[in-house]
Amino acid sequence: MAPVIAAAIIGAGASLAKSGISAYSDYKSQQDQMEAREKAAKEIKAQGRLTDNEYRQIINSIENYYNNRGSLGTQADATAYKDAIGNYNPSDYAYKPGEFKWDQSHYKEDYLNPYYGRIIGDTANQIQHTAAGAGLGRGTGAALNIAKGVSEKSDELYRTALQDYNTDRNFEYQKYADVIKNNQNYLNALRQGDEYKIGLQGNLAQDYYNTQDSRMSDVLKAQQDKLNAQQTYANAISGLY
């Protein structure tokens, strides 16, 4: 074989060998990279599962915390508050007195001097004796004096009776007013007690509503964080290929 041809054949063989070695090296490199990516993907997926479990535990812890809050507001408190304000009627605490009536039919019997007739008679006799002593006898002058004196005495007795009547009426009205006042004070005390009780129920109800808002907010925040973490892991795996 001619040296030139031999050299050419050797050179070609060497080139093929070098090309084969390069191709194998590239294949090996790609295989290693693929294996590395697969390994990384497995590790990322495993970490993702761990993170999911951790978030599940976090959410369970949040639920357990809100489910074991002891004596703070509950659904029953919220329901009781709604029922209380629904049944509350301020007019129930206003005393409704009846009309004050003062019987005037017994005015004469009860307040006019029971000896009215005798007093009037004695007055007339006294004036008669005075007139007789003055020499007026039973004339017109004596009669006028008697009439005037009797009228004045009658008026005096009626005015005294009216004064007694009004005094008793005012006394009875004051007693009536005191009854109204005492009953209204009693109702006011009941109203204040019920309003205080409703206020306490309102505090518990508000605590319940606030707690539910916080609970939902905390759970949604944890769930959103979990989704963000899952997306981060998915993006990391996607970036491997």
Side-chain angles (χ1 to χ4, degrees):
M1 182 179 295
V4 174
I5 296 175
I9 293 173
I10 293 171
S15 178
L16 288 173
K18 183 178 181 180
S19 177
I21 293 172
S22 177
Y24 174 77
S25 178
D26 290 343
Y27 170 76
K28 181 65 174 176
S29 175
Q30 291 175 359
Q31 188 178 26
D32 290 344
Q33 290 177 7
M34 181 62 69
E35 290 177 356
R37 283 195 291 268
E38 292 295 334
K39 182 179 180 181
K42 289 181 179 180
E43 291 179 353
I44 292 172
K45 290 178 180 178
Q47 186 61 48
R49 287 191 294 271
L50 289 175
T51 302
D52 285 348
N53 288 333
E54 290 174 353
Y55 273 113
R56 190 175 298 110
Q57 291 175 4
I58 290 173
I59 293 174
N60 287 337
S61 296
I62 292 173
E63 294 289 357
N64 289 334
Y65 168 75
Y66 283 107
N67 289 334
N68 297 280
R69 298 178 65 246
S71 61
L72 298 179
T74 63
Q75 176 66 58
D77 294 319
T79 301
Y81 175 65
K82 290 174 65 177
D83 292 341
I85 60 177
N87 295 327
Y88 179 75
N89 184 2
S91 63
D92 291 340
Y93 303 95
Y95 183 68
K96 304 174 184 63
E99 181 183 357
F100 176 74
K101 295 181 179 180
W102 186 246
D103 188 4
Q104 300 183 32
S105 63
H106 303 295
Y107 170 68
K108 289 185 178 180
E109 293 84 348
D110 295 341
Y111 297 97
L112 195 61
N113 196 312
Y115 302 105
Y116 176 86
R118 179 176 177 179
I119 293 173
I120 292 299
D122 289 346
T123 299
N125 291 334
Q126 182 180 0
I127 295 174
Q128 175 63 46
H129 292 319
T130 301
L136 297 177
R138 294 184 178 274
T140 301
L144 289 175
N145 284 337
I146 292 172
K148 180 181 178 182
V150 168
S151 176
E152 289 175 350
K153 176 56 68 174
S154 177
D155 181 62
E156 176 187 344
L157 293 175
Y158 271 99
R159 280 188 286 109
T160 299
L162 180 61
Q163 182 179 358
D164 292 342
Y165 167 84
N166 287 330
T167 298
D168 282 357
R169 180 183 182 280
N170 291 338
F171 177 74
E172 289 299 324
Y173 181 80
Q174 187 58 53
K175 289 198 302 182
Y176 173 76
D178 288 342
V179 170
I180 295 175
K181 181 179 179 181
N182 291 336
N183 278 282
Q184 187 58 64
N185 289 340
Y186 170 71
L187 290 176
N188 286 338
L190 291 179
R191 175 181 55 79
Q192 291 174 358
D194 284 345
E195 288 177 350
Y196 181 71
K197 180 180 178 181
I198 291 174
L200 293 179
Q201 290 177 321
N203 291 339
L204 289 173
Q206 189 62 51
D207 174 77
Y208 171 75
Y209 295 135
N210 292 341
T211 298
Q212 295 308 305
D213 289 341
S214 298
R215 178 179 190 167
M216 181 61 69
S217 177
D218 291 343
V219 170
L220 290 178
K221 175 70 167 53
Q223 290 176 339
Q224 185 61 52
D225 290 345
K226 178 181 178 180
L227 291 175
N228 291 340
Q230 290 174 338
Q231 186 62 49
T232 299
Y233 292 131
N235 291 339
I237 293 174
S238 177
L240 294 174
Y241 300 96

